[in-house]
């Protein structure tokens, strides 16, 4: 196992210029599907079963080695809210961010591989509505990752491209600097299919960007896209959902979503969808996201 204070990445570069892609796993330590998919790809590259034909590829199997070693989502904080360069980093994740932030900016494109708590189908998280330079490129690549569900707009409470003072997500750090990045939620943490979803997305991305000599993958058919609208935080340990919700479950106006510990209820204010329902999240953390129908995949 990687020592908990050691960050390791692998970079391959071809003499022929092309896109510069970075692929990251285990930004959260319990989300290991990306780690397994990246390790599988590394083995294929080492055996010569796959080779770059142009451009540059960097693979980071474990972005948070402390959380990964502990089998926890976070070490001392959420790395995916901490990406920035600091003169005086105050936590393990901030010290990691000082290494990861410039590494990310040495690339054009990010594929960040994650998983989630509740059962559900994999989906891609696109950038916020705030315009950024590579927005069209981001949407174009999203169609080819091998999934058909999409969330439009940042899932971070402050929806903007400019990094907030506390730091940005991996993908928003890229967007803020004229690049682009996609976050792929590959399935439930323990879903045995999630590493395969991650691996397929890696291979499709390599082919789509022309970094390997393989046919362009097929685009998503009948995409279902929703647009992030509101974050609901967990207020107490007694908060309970009305049923076992999954991401992309549709809700009707007035439908009961959950009950808070003080007896007040959460109902849908309008027809829409739920994203990332997490019955086990910490108090004060994101309990569920409310979403409307999306607009970026209308063709």
């Amino acid at each position: 196992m990687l020592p908990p204070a050691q960050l390791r990445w692998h970079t391959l570069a071809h003499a022929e210029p092309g896109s510069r892609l970075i692929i990251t796993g285990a930004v959260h330590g319990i989300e290991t599907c990306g780690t397994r998919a990246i390790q599988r790809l590394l083995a294929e590259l080492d055996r010569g079963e796959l080779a770059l034909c142009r451009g540059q590829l960097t693979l980071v199997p474990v972005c948070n080695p402390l959380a990964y070693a502990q089998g926890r989502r976070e070490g001392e904080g959420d790395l995916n809210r901490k990406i920035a360069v600091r003169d005086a980093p105050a936590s393990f994740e901030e010290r990691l961010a000082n290494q990861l932030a410039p590494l990310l900016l040495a690339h054009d494109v990010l594929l960040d591989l994650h998983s989630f708590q509740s059962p559900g189908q994999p989906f891609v998280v696109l950038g916020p509505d705030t315009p950024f330079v590579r927005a069209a490129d981001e949407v174009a690549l999203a169609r080819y990752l091998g999934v058909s569900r999409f969330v439009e707009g940042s899932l971070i409470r402050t929806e903007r491209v400019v990094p907030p003072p506390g730091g940005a997500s991996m993908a928003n750090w890229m967007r803020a600097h004229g690049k682009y990045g996609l976050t792929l939620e590959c399935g439930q943490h323990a879903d045995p299919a999630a590493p395969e979803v991650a691996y397929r997305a890696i291979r499709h991305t390599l082919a789509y960007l022309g970094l390997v000599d393989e046919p362009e993958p097929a685009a998503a058919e009948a995409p279902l896209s929703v647009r992030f609208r509101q974050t609901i935080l967990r207020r107490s340990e007694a908060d309970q959902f009305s049923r076992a919700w999954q991401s992309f479950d549709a809700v009707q106006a007035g439908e009961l979503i959950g009950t808070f510990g003080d007896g007040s209820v959460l109902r849908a204010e309008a027809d829409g969808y739920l994203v990332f329902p997490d019955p086990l999240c910490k108090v004060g953390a994101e309990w569920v996201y409310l979403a409307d129908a999306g607009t970026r995949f209308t063709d």
Side-chain angles (χ1 to χ4, degrees):
M1 180 178 289
L2 192 68
Q6 180 174 306
L7 182 64
R8 179 186 302 165
W9 61 80
H10 310 258
T11 297
L12 299 85
H14 196 278
E16 185 70 21
S19 295
R20 297 172 297 166
L21 169 67
I22 182 168
I23 303 175
T24 52
V27 172
H28 299 129
I30 59 172
E31 301 177 17
T32 61
C33 57
T35 303
R36 294 167 63 184
I38 291 170
Q39 290 170 339
R40 178 178 170 184
L41 186 81
L42 279 168
E44 292 173 339
L45 291 164
D46 288 343
R47 292 194 298 265
E49 298 170 3
L50 185 70
L52 291 188
C53 64
R54 64 182 55 82
Q56 177 178 311
L57 172 64
T58 295
L59 302 167
V60 191
V62 178
C63 285
N64 192 331
L66 176 61
Y68 183 80
Q70 294 176 340
R72 296 161 52 95
R73 185 177 187 273
E74 303 172 6
E76 298 177 358
D78 188 345
L79 178 60
N80 211 31
R81 302 293 185 270
K82 296 289 187 181
I83 303 302
V85 177
R86 300 171 177 83
D87 293 333
S91 68
F92 181 78
E93 274 76 9
E94 290 184 359
R95 291 191 290 274
L96 280 179
N98 272 7
Q99 301 296 318
L100 288 167
L103 177 66
L104 289 167
L105 297 188
H107 299 81
D108 309 310
V109 189
L110 164 70
L111 176 61
D112 189 21
L113 301 167
H114 289 254
S115 57
F116 45 82
Q117 175 65 44
S118 299
Q121 296 186 38
F123 59 93
V124 179
V125 181
L126 296 162
D129 290 338
T130 309
F132 60 99
V133 175
R134 305 292 298 275
D137 294 327
E138 188 171 279
V139 172
L141 173 58
R143 293 176 179 269
Y144 292 91
L145 294 187
V147 303
S148 59
R149 294 188 172 197
F150 306 88
V151 174
E152 304 173 10
S154 173
L155 292 177
I156 301 174
R157 295 173 214 165
T158 304
E159 184 182 317
R160 56 182 180 176
V161 170
V162 177
S169 68
M170 306 272 281
N172 267 352
W173 180 252
M174 295 288 283
R175 296 175 186 123
H177 292 86
K179 303 162 188 298
Y180 67 103
L182 290 169
T183 302
L184 175 61
E185 298 286 346
C186 300
Q188 191 178 28
H189 299 324
D191 187 345
E196 184 63 33
V197 172
Y199 175 78
R200 180 179 63 211
I202 291 172
R203 293 298 296 260
H204 283 198
T205 300
L206 291 171
Y208 177 80
L209 295 176
L211 297 183
V212 296
D213 188 15
E214 293 185 347
E216 182 176 287
E221 297 183 0
L224 171 60
S225 183
V226 304
R227 183 182 181 278
F228 168 73
R229 170 164 47 88
Q230 184 180 2
T231 305
I232 305 298
L233 304 182
R234 193 173 191 187
R235 299 178 185 175
S236 75
E237 295 285 353
D239 297 353
Q240 292 187 339
F241 287 123
S242 60
R243 66 179 179 87
W245 296 106
Q246 297 186 16
S247 287
F248 291 84
D249 277 346
V251 292
Q252 295 182 331
E255 185 171 357
L256 179 65
I257 297 171
T259 302
F260 295 107
D262 62 5
S264 61
V265 298
L266 172 64
R267 295 186 182 274
E269 295 181 356
D271 293 351
Y273 300 86
L274 303 184
V275 181
F276 275 143
D278 187 354
L280 301 180
C281 73
K282 298 184 296 185
V283 173
E286 293 86 348
W287 195 35
V288 65
Y289 298 90
L290 309 183
D292 301 314
T295 59
R296 299 188 201 176
F297 297 88
T298 56
D299 55 347

